Amino acid sequence: MDHLKTQGISMPKLGLGTFRMQGDACRAAVESALSIGYRHIDTAEMYANEEAIGAAIAASGVPRGELHVTTKVWHENLNRDAIRRAFDASLRKLRLHHVDLYLVHWPSKAANWGAVFETLMTLKEEGRTRAIGVANFTTALLKIAVEEIRAPIACNQVEYHAMLDQSKVLAYLQPLAVPLVAYCPLAQGRFASDPVLADIGARHNATAAQVALKWLLDQDGVAAIPKASRRESQQANLDALKITLDDVDREKIAALAKDRRCVSPGFAPAWD
């Protein structure tokens, strides 16, 4: 599987998203994914599933050095003490000595970004997270983090798929060699009924969702973390890596409307 190199870590381009997975079902899903070759697991304190994921990792027998584990701090905890408390709790639940990537989950208008990133960088210096990053950051907020604070962010995780334009964020990140990690890469199932993607899939003996996922993963500096609880879906996402899209396919996908957002920006300031 292809990897992205960023801030001293190597992140598999395809990972497992776990939002809205909890308890035994979450543990089973992560165990299944690890057993068929996934090595990138994405979670967050807000998902309330870190304990289940920690149990799955412990049971899997996969060497820690082969895994990439991301978790996130919730927007309500963006001060020095709260970040540390949240981080300690996440590490304990995950049963890990360190995570590979620790993200600001959502921006907050009340955050002191200098203090936030100083705290995150201290966690990195202590070896408790190998890298730090952000999620749901606009280009304006990215400029604060990268240009003003000079935080060594390893990614920006945002909603991105074949029906949502993220060219502005990509245009900012790519020259910096900072990856975009796409959540909701399958638009929460909306691709299944799209005739254009279905037609492309028929030409490649693939589903519309597999075509959409491969379109993302073919892009430089883009990773994707589709949620998949069933082994069949997990395997289908892995099999999408085998598809070879051509220029005609990409032109058809580029022509799709790019204004369908699945997740509301909510409390993110100055969304653009």
Side-chain angles (χ1 to χ4, degrees), residues 155-225:
C155 78
N156 185 23
Q157 186 181 119
V158 297
E159 179 181 349
Y160 183 35
H161 47 73
M163 294 179 179
L164 182 65
D165 177 40
Q166 287 288 12
S167 57
K168 189 173 182 180
V169 172
L170 281 166
Y172 184 79
L173 294 174
Q174 287 177 333
L176 301 172
V178 174
L180 184 156
V181 177
Y183 70 75
C184 288
L186 304 181
Q188 297 181 340
R190 290 170 172 80
F191 293 142
S193 59
D194 184 80
V196 173
L197 292 170
D199 181 63
I200 296 171
R203 293 180 49 237
H204 295 282
N205 194 29
T207 66
Q210 286 175 314
V211 167
L213 183 57
K214 188 54 162 48
W215 174 80
L216 275 179
L217 296 173
D218 278 348
Q219 297 175 43
D220 291 338
V222 175
I225 48 170

Side-chain angles (χ1 to χ4, degrees), residues 16 21 25 28-30 32-33 36 38 227-237:
L16 180 73
M21 291 186 194
V30 175
S32 168
I36 63 174
Y38 282 77
K227 174 188 172 185
S229 56
R230 296 185 304 114
R231 180 179 290 252
E232 295 83 355
S233 300
Q234 294 169 355
Q235 187 62 54
N237 292 340

Side-chain angles (χ1 to χ4, degrees), residues 244-259:
T244 301
L245 299 177
D246 58 29
D247 288 342
V248 173
D249 297 328
R250 283 185 281 272
E251 287 171 6
K252 290 179 179 178
I253 295 170
L256 293 173
K258 295 286 189 285
D259 58 356

Side-chain angles (χ1 to χ4, degrees), residues 45 50 71-73 77 81-94 96-103 119-120 123-124 126-132:
E45 65 163 311
E50 290 169 314
T71 193
K72 313 176 193 78
V73 58
N77 291 327
D81 292 342
I83 289 171
R84 281 201 163 269
R85 285 195 299 269
F87 183 85
D88 289 345
S90 289
L91 218 56
R92 183 175 62 253
K93 291 173 183 177
L94 289 165
L96 299 175
H97 295 296
H98 72 274
V99 292
D100 299 279
L101 187 54
Y102 194 51
L103 307 182
T119 306
L120 294 180
L123 291 171
K124 180 181 178 182
E126 292 170 353
R128 305 181 73 209
T129 181
R130 296 179 62 220
I132 64 171

